[in-house]
Each structure stands twice: as C-alpha cells, then as structure tokens.
Amino acid sequence: MIFRELWDEIAPIGRDPETGGYLRYAWTEPELELRSWFRSQALARGLTLEEDGNGNIFAWWGDPSAGDAVLTGSHFDSVPHGGAYDGPLGIVTALLAIDDLRARGKTPSRPIGIAAFAEEEGSRFGLACLGSRLLTGAVTPERALALTDRDGHTLAESLLKSGHDPATLGPRPELLGRIGCFVELHVEQGRALIEGECPVGVASAIWPHGRWRLDFTGEGNHAGTTLMSDRHDPMLTFAFTVLAANKEARLRDAHATIGRVEVAPNATNAIPREVRAWLDARAGESEVVDALVAAVTAKAHERATRDGTRVAVTPESVSGATEFDVVLRDRIAALLDDAPILPTGAGHDAGVLSGHVPTAMLFVRNPTGISHSPAESATDADCEAGVVSLSDVLADLAC
Ligand code: HGY
Ligand code: MN
Ligand code: MN
Ligand code: MN
C-alpha cells in the first residue's frame, strides 16, 4: 500500500475546514476515531493489541512477553488547529514499515511494537506527554486525575467514556521492561532538512523545555469611569511581561512563547480582574531556560509593583535535556547513509522514554519548516522515504 492511500484514510479526521488545521484533542471524538482506526489497522495486520490503562495503545508483531521489543510509534493528538503530520506520521509510517518488512520477507527475531501515546501535546489537560509519563511513572495517577480540561471535564470522565477505569492509571514497569529500545519517526518541526537537502534526519537531542503558568491579578473596574491613574490593570503587567519574555529570550538565544491567554471577566468594557497566561520556555541548556524564566519572573514582579498588581509564576511541566542514545543514534545514522544528525526544540514521547530505554528519533523533511500550524507539511515522496528508513531501522534492529 502506498503512503497516500493509507494517509488519506485519516486526513479528514478532525480537520477544521475553516483553518485547515486539526482539532484532535485526546479522548475527544476525532482522536477516539483515530484510535479505533489504528486498532483496526493493527488487527488487519495480525498485530496483538495491548492497552496500558493510561490511554496508550500498543500493537505487537510477535509475542511481546518475549521482551527486548523494538518499539516505534508516536501520538494522534494535536495542538489546536495543528498540522496533519505532527504525531500521526509516526504511526502511519510504522504500519507501512511493517508492511514493507513483510513484503521483503523479513521475520523479526525480537517483537516489534507500534505505540499510540495519549495526550502528547497536553492540549486537552495541560500536561504534555501525559500518557508516556504515566506509563513511566514520571507523573502520578493522583496528579493526572486532578487535571481538568478547559470545560472543567476531568481526565477520569474521559477515560470512563472511552471504556477505561481511572483506577488502572499508573506506571507499567512490566510493560516498560519488555521494551528494548524505542525509535520515533516525526515530521521535522524546523528547517534543518530543507537546508541539508535530506528527506530524513536523525535526532541528537531534545532541548530542555517547560511550561509556566503566569497569574496576573489586579482590580477589575469599569472601563469608562475609572481614571487611568486609579487603575491596577493586570493586562498592562501581562503585556509588559510578554515583551520582556521576548527580549530576554533573544538575549540568551533561547525560545520563549506566550501563546495561550485567559482573561477574567473578558469583557470589552471592564478592566480585567485577572489575566492568566502560559509561558513556554526552551533553550539548548537547562541553565539557560532557568535563567530565562528567572529574568522574566523578576521583570514581571518589578512591573507588577509599579502597576499595583500581583503576579504568580507556577511551573506546570518542566523537562530536562534529552541526549539520545549515541550508539543507537550513530547506528541508525550510518544505516541511513549518514543521514544528518540534528537537535530539536520540540518535546516528544521519545524524550520521556529515553530515560528508561535506548531511544532514537527519525525526522522527515517538512518543506515549510512550520509546525503546530495548518502550514505544516511533508511530501508523499519524503514520507515514503521515511517508511523505507524506518523499515530499514526495524530490520536492522529486530530482524
Ligand atoms: O510542545 C512540543 O514541543 C511538542 O510538540 N509537544
Ligand atoms: Mn507537537
Ligand atoms: Mn509531536
Ligand atoms: Mn454599565
């Protein structure tokens, strides 16, 4: 089966016709539809399905109890109006790579698995890589069950709706212990492969990154009757902090983004009582991320004093640097005719798994270099090159 045929089966699922972006939040209709599509594709290939109670689905070729499995896969969920490829490409190419291995007459000597991890983006419940973090114990069931989405729905409600018992959330050391290594294929979320004129690359590292919630509190009041000199307007402190984050990031060659804001009461004719925003901060080293967040926090407090407002900064999820397994990385790069090796500023489930098993990532070229946007793209030819590369890697590791 060629890439486009399989891809077109999922391309319409969760796509917003207005923006062309995808609304595939974990455990919502479109993402549940993708999960059942994945289950049927796996069963059609004679793979054995396993669900870990954390929302993660595993499809095994061979008996997983034999252990030392080579796991691949990625996630189905998206950011709001995200691109088509971020996540699903790693799962569709994995299905096709298994088809390719079989077409080549390969029989694995180690189990091969495809994972569909839950809530990698954290778009619904706010905690990125929730499924893989629950699997590995990086997040406790208690913390996960305390999460709610923007409509106030709890994770437990979603799990129950999709037939899972929230009481079964939690680490799966026995499942993790059966995984020998993990290789995730992902669309590149940058321009390195365009500039390097290569269809496929290999990851060297994931930048340290994290999310901090910023709560700006002031005094709500009437937009028309309140003198400018009498205001304690948190929007002002917030606006200043956005500019400060941008400036401090540029000074440090780091990346700072404030892409999500909530205002209360969010009325045209009312000075806000509160502004809640999320800072996404990333850099090549953890120390730089820490220094960036400290500088932004200090500037925000300084400005709050001047505005007569208050600001609270709360870390929500912080990930250290991920250096991928050098032996596995170099073995894969050599296998792929010395494919370029590049770092990424994007977080992935591979970053979580890398703390437990030798882990690597493959990237497929994205002609726009844009991601977390409908502009994200990949050509069929490059996606098929990704299938062949993943098939070669699985053949090398498992057959
Ligand atoms: O935010 C990230 O870097 C990833 O796409 N979840
Ligand atoms: Mn993403
Ligand atoms: Mn992703
Ligand atoms: Mn009025």
Side-chain angles (χ1 to χ4, degrees):
M1 184 180 279
I2 58 168
F3 173 79
R4 177 49 56 185
E5 278 173 22
L6 197 57
W7 189 252
D8 281 347
E9 290 188 21
I10 64 166
I13 300 173
R15 186 174 180 279
D16 179 336
E18 291 275 298
T19 65
Y22 285 83
L23 302 170
R24 293 167 167 171
Y25 307 135
W27 293 289
T28 62
E29 277 324 301
E31 202 248 5
L32 292 171
E33 192 182 336
L34 288 166
R35 287 161 177 259
S36 29
W37 175 85
F38 174 57
R39 290 190 192 93
S40 57
Q41 288 293 326
L43 292 174
R45 288 169 173 77
L47 307 182
T48 319
L49 287 171
E50 178 178 11
E51 313 224 5
D52 73 347
N54 298 310
N56 305 315
I57 306 170
F58 298 86
W60 299 106
W61 179 12
D63 174 3
S65 62
D68 199 26
V70 177
L71 184 68
T72 184
S74 192
H75 61 95
F76 279 126
D77 66 305
S78 74
V79 296
H81 303 284
Y85 297 88
D86 176 351
L89 183 63
I91 295 172
V92 171
T93 52
L95 289 165
L96 291 170
I98 284 186
D99 296 345
D100 186 60
L101 287 172
R102 286 173 169 167
R104 289 154 68 181
K106 297 282 185 188
T107 313
S109 53
R110 296 165 67 177
I112 292 177
I114 305 176
F117 287 112
E119 181 71 329
E120 188 274 345
E121 299 291 1
S123 299
R124 176 124 189 246
F125 292 103
L127 218 169
C129 299
L130 179 60
S132 55
R133 284 179 156 154
L134 280 164
L135 167 69
T136 57
V139 163
T140 62
E142 296 70 29
R143 182 170 176 209
L145 290 171
L147 298 171
T148 57
D149 68 11
R150 302 185 195 192
D151 303 324
H153 294 298
T154 63
L155 173 62
E157 283 171 65
S158 291
L159 288 167
L160 286 168
K161 252 177 70 182
S162 60
H164 289 292
D165 174 1
T168 62
L169 275 183
R172 289 288 175 281
E174 76 293 344
L175 198 163
L176 205 50
R178 292 192 255 116
I179 301 168
C181 65
F182 176 52
V183 181
E184 179 172 1
L185 182 145
H186 203 282
V187 66
E188 191 196 349
Q189 296 165 300
R191 307 186 50 77
L193 294 178
I194 302 167
E195 276 137 30
E197 294 178 350
C198 286
V200 176
V202 181
S204 58
I206 293 179
W207 274 18
H209 58 281
R211 304 175 180 195
W212 284 261
R213 203 183 80 203
L214 310 174
D215 292 311
F216 301 88
T217 315
E219 190 178 82
N221 206 329
H222 197 296
T225 56
T226 314
L227 299 180
M228 295 310 282
S229 52
D230 287 349
R231 293 181 182 215
H232 303 290
D233 185 351
M235 190 64 88
L236 202 57
T237 319
F238 159 73
F240 174 82
T241 303
V242 172
L243 294 173
N246 192 280
K247 183 170 167 246
E248 295 301 331
R250 289 171 187 276
L251 287 175
R252 292 174 174 77
D253 199 17
H255 298 175
T257 312
I258 295 181
R260 181 185 169 194
V261 186
E262 291 171 358
V263 183
N266 205 23
T268 309
N269 56 353
I271 301 168
R273 166 181 77 251
E274 184 185 64
V275 177
R276 177 168 288 183
W278 280 262
L279 169 66
D280 180 307
R282 312 192 189 202
E285 284 92 36
S286 297
E287 299 71 37
V288 176
V289 176
D290 297 343
L292 168 60
V293 176
V296 174
T297 302
K299 296 271 184 196
H301 281 303
E302 213 176 284
R303 182 70 202 207
T305 310
R306 203 172 124 186
D307 297 338
T309 58
R310 292 187 314 284
V311 59
V313 180
T314 317
E316 283 204 335
S317 72
V318 183
S319 303
T322 300
E323 297 296 338
F324 287 114
D325 182 282
V326 174
V327 172
L328 185 59
R329 179 198 75 187
D330 291 352
R331 175 174 172 170
I332 290 173
L335 182 74
L336 303 181
D337 305 330
D338 293 327
I341 298 177
L342 52 134
T344 176
H348 300 280
D349 293 307
V352 176
L353 271 287
S354 70
H356 300 270
V357 295
T359 298
M361 284 194 80
L362 299 182
F363 292 123
V364 167
R365 178 166 49 190
N366 170 348
T368 64
I370 297 172
S371 184
H372 285 190
S373 150
E376 179 185 90
S377 87
T379 66
D380 286 5
D382 283 352
C383 292
E384 289 187 349
V387 171
V388 172
S389 299
L390 184 59
S391 173
D392 286 346
V393 168
L394 296 177
D396 178 59
L397 293 172
C399 298

